[in-house]
Amino acid sequence: MLVPEDRPVADGRPLTVADALRLPVLAAGEPRVVAGQARLGRPVRWVHITELTDPASFLKGGELVLTTGMPLPEEPARIRRYVGELADVGAAALVIELVRRYHRPPEALVRACRARGLPLVTLSRDVNFLEVTQVVHTLLLGHRTEALRRSRRIHEAFTALTLRGAGPEDVVRAAAELSGRTVVLEDPAHRALICVPSGGTVEEALTGWERDSRATPPGDRTAVRGPGNWLVAPVEFRGERWGRVVLLPAPGAAAFTAEHVTVLERTAMTLAVTRLAHPVPWERDAHRGVLRDITGRRHRSPGEIRVRAAALGLPVEGCRFVAVQVDPGGGAAARETAGPTAVAREDAGRAAEARLVEELATAGAPALVGEPAPGRVGVLLALRPGQPPWRATVERLARAALRLDPYTVVAVGSPVDDLAEAARSFREAARAAEAVPPGSGPPTADPDRSFHELADIGLRRLLYAMREDTRVRDYAERTLGRLADHDLRHRTELLPALRHYLDAGGNKTVAARRGGLSRQTLYQRLHAVERLLGCDLDSGEQRTGLHVALMAYDVLRPG
């Protein structure tokens, strides 16, 4: 078998037997592999020239052994012992020159090398072994120098991450970039918290993750483990294990190297420091990341988001998914006023998140819980048939959140049967939440319900949700501005009279009674309204327009 010409030397890998045989100084001898072809990927640590009958006593393993064949014994038993000693000490390969003593390798030597899996290479032309030694040793020293440089860069990269307080996602991403392999951080329950792919997709990496992870045994040191040949390192501090970080093998790529081990060990160490500096559970960060990608539709495919959710322990088959949005402290309205500061909102969000996680655990309802935005908590429920109805579960969450903060706004979207449609449920929950005015209390349609949904949005709430739209502002001002100005300048009460009239559905008697006015006084004020606004209050269409404008006016000027 001729030496394959598949890739060059010095690509960052350790020098292998196949690499050495492709060097011009050895290639000139027309090398042919006659045994141990499957072992040509062995790393070469050194070159050893020998004409001894017992060279193994001078070896330490990993040597490329060069010989002219002159000292080889004749007897098959001694040849087997010669090869066996080389194999036992871990020699990388035996290279024999077929110029002086032999013109073809002894059959006993070939059989012995095949039996022990020791690569046997023949050279049909004369080769200067000293020159081979010089070239290979120069390459090895260069590889070691380059390896030291790369190791220093790895240590510097992770030290920089530690000093700037990087989060776990940044650490795992750096590991994937430095190793060129997919990196996964999992917790002790075999849930994949962070996955940064390299040369593949998240869906490929995480499909069947829990099954494959449980088949990969734990260990106290970095090692290749399990049927998938994962390179695994524990993440722990003083005996407390927080999870493990995994480098996945790449199809068609070389085996893991010492550099991969260095990257993974520094990753585990940096993650431990990160956990100590930022004690927020990684599970919460993982849930937050998936929820943000769901709501923002930042996933590549429906399959990707399904495997990510499943890898976090969320059931994804045969479930109905319901999105819940929890806004502590009054929600969007509080953010627009002199309400809680940003820090206070974030603290309230974290408190609400912890309370909801506790409530869900008590209820046995599987869900993803996280903050898709600062101070706002998102919950994605996955409810199987036979579990309590989703409304009962959401009501339980809403009451728990309200006990923590009575100004909390809890809104829910419509149930969906596919996780890929969960973004729509979150949009509906957001629309229902943004339409809740501060201090509005429970939905008017169902006073016993603590959460809001899209069906609760009537005209007034719709206008409240659209309060930032300049067209709504312009319409309200254009329609009622002159009336408001007249009341301010002349201390009249035309606007309240119009409000009572419109709220009474055009019934002047009811309007006068509600306003504490005589019918004559009400008539006079309504006549003044018609004159100032140039409208006809007997017109149903114009009354409707005025009523909408008045609602918008109230929304834009609360209180």
Side-chain angles (χ1 to χ4, degrees):
M1 173 185 173
L2 294 175
V3 179
E5 298 180 1
D6 54 350
R7 54 187 178 186
V9 186
D11 60 356
R13 300 174 292 110
L15 186 73
T16 65
V17 174
D19 294 332
L21 297 180
R22 282 192 292 270
L23 296 172
V25 66
L26 270 174
E30 298 180 0
R32 181 177 292 272
V33 182
V34 295
Q37 292 92 340
R39 307 292 182 88
L40 294 182
R42 285 180 169 179
V44 174
R45 188 185 63 83
W46 209 243
V47 177
H48 185 77
I49 304 171
T50 183
E51 300 299 339
L52 299 176
T53 57
D54 60 342
S57 60
F58 296 92
L59 305 180
K60 294 184 178 180
E63 292 87 359
L64 187 69
V65 180
L66 307 180
T67 181
T68 62
M70 297 298 291
L72 283 177
E74 294 286 348
E75 300 85 353
R78 293 182 63 190
I79 288 179
R80 285 195 298 273
R81 185 168 63 249
Y82 178 91
V83 171
E85 290 175 351
L86 290 178
D88 288 342
V89 81
L94 175 62
V95 180
I96 181 172
E97 189 181 70
L98 302 179
V99 176
R100 293 169 176 80
R101 180 179 177 184
Y102 298 107
H103 294 289
R104 61 182 180 181
E107 189 60 34
L109 180 64
V110 175
R111 287 197 302 270
C113 288
R114 286 175 178 168
R116 294 304 304 270
L118 178 68
L120 175 62
V121 182
T122 63
L123 301 175
S124 59
R125 292 182 178 274
D126 193 14
V127 169
N128 187 330
F129 283 174
L130 289 176
E131 188 178 351
V132 172
T133 301
Q134 181 182 15
V135 171
V136 173
H137 287 179
T138 300
L139 279 174
L140 289 173
L141 290 172
H143 272 285
R144 290 170 187 169
T145 302
E146 179 59 28
L148 287 173
R149 290 197 191 98
R150 289 196 301 271
S151 179
R152 186 172 64 250
R153 286 199 295 268
I154 291 168
H155 287 282
E156 289 173 349
F158 284 106
T159 299
L161 288 170
T162 301
L163 291 176
R164 70 179 176 87
E169 288 187 8
D170 296 327
V171 176
V172 174
R173 186 175 297 107
E177 292 172 355
L178 290 167
S179 67
R181 300 295 177 90
T182 296
V183 183
V184 181
L185 171 65
E186 69 167 15
D187 68 3
H190 302 278
R191 292 175 296 193
L193 306 178
I194 302 173
C195 174
V196 179
S198 180
T201 65
V202 172
E203 187 173 355
E204 292 169 346
L206 296 186
T207 298
W209 178 264
E210 183 177 355
R211 177 198 64 226
D212 297 340
S213 176
R214 291 187 181 278
T216 303
D220 295 327
R221 60 183 181 85
T222 304
V224 176
R225 302 181 185 279
N229 293 321
W230 293 356
L231 184 62
V232 182
V235 182
E236 58 187 4
F237 180 75
R238 292 184 177 177
E240 183 181 1
R241 184 161 296 185
W242 293 317
R244 59 182 180 177
V245 62
V246 179
L247 246 65
L248 298 181
F256 293 117
T257 65
E259 185 174 322
H260 289 118
V261 174
T262 300
V263 169
L264 198 62
E265 289 180 341
R266 281 309 309 262
T267 301
M269 186 185 306
T270 307
L271 285 170
V273 174
T274 299
R275 181 66 176 255
L276 291 170
H278 307 284
V280 176
W282 288 335
E283 292 81 0
R284 302 274 60 80
D285 283 334
H287 283 211
R288 181 183 304 122
V290 172
L291 288 176
R292 286 176 178 174
D293 288 349
I294 288 176
T295 56
R297 290 189 177 272
R298 292 197 291 261
H299 46 276
R300 294 185 179 181
S301 67
E304 176 184 305
I305 206 65
R306 273 195 291 269
V307 298
R308 286 179 63 191
L312 287 174
L314 187 77
V316 296
E317 301 295 337
C319 295
R320 300 196 82 192
F321 302 95
V322 181
V324 183
Q325 178 171 307
V326 180
D327 287 344
R335 282 185 268 274
E336 297 169 5
T337 63
T341 64
V343 173
R345 287 198 301 271
E346 290 180 7
D347 290 343
R350 283 192 289 269
E353 181 180 358
R355 184 69 186 89
L356 293 173
V357 169
E358 180 182 333
E359 193 68 30
L360 287 164
T362 304
L368 298 179
V369 185
E371 291 184 86
R376 169 177 295 166
V377 182
V379 179
L380 180 61
L381 293 168
L383 302 176
R384 291 192 178 101
Q387 288 185 298
W390 68 266
R391 287 183 178 276
T393 303
V394 174
E395 179 64 25
R396 180 170 180 169
L397 291 178
R399 291 183 183 275
L402 288 166
R403 283 196 298 271
L404 191 65
D405 178 359
Y407 295 101
T408 296
V409 173
V410 180
V412 63
S414 301
V416 295
D417 295 324
D418 189 342
L419 186 61
E421 297 299 318
R424 174 167 60 83
S425 187
F426 272 110
R427 283 199 305 272
E428 291 182 3
R431 286 173 58 192
E434 70 180 2
V436 180
S440 59
T444 55
D446 186 358
D448 295 328
R449 175 159 47 91
S450 304
F451 60 88
H452 303 266
E453 52 188 321
L454 210 57
D456 298 325
I457 300 180
L459 178 58
R460 187 177 297 276
R461 287 197 174 188
L462 178 63
L463 292 170
Y464 178 77
M466 298 172 62
R467 62 195 178 280
E468 296 300 322
D469 192 318
T470 56
R471 292 171 295 182
V472 174
R473 293 175 177 270
D474 290 345
Y475 177 74
E477 186 62 31
R478 186 176 68 252
T479 305
L480 298 175
R482 282 174 292 172
L483 203 59
D485 290 343
H486 185 277
D487 279 350
L488 286 173
R489 286 197 305 269
H490 301 286
R491 299 182 180 274
T492 57
E493 296 186 1
L494 301 182
L495 198 59
L498 177 61
R499 184 190 309 279
H500 292 308
Y501 175 71
L502 295 174
D503 287 344
N507 188 315
K508 295 177 182 177
T509 301
V510 173
R513 184 171 62 251
R514 288 181 177 177
L517 304 173
S518 66
R519 289 172 57 89
Q520 187 64 30
T521 301
L522 177 67
Y523 292 159
Q524 292 174 352
R525 291 182 181 180
L526 293 179
H527 180 69
V529 168
E530 289 179 317
R531 178 174 53 80
L532 284 170
L533 300 184
C535 65
D536 180 5
L537 293 179
D538 290 332
S539 167
E541 180 178 347
Q542 291 188 38
R543 282 205 310 270
T544 300
L546 287 170
H547 208 169
V548 171
L550 189 58
M551 285 185 181
Y553 200 79
D554 292 342
V555 163
L556 295 171
R557 292 170 175 78

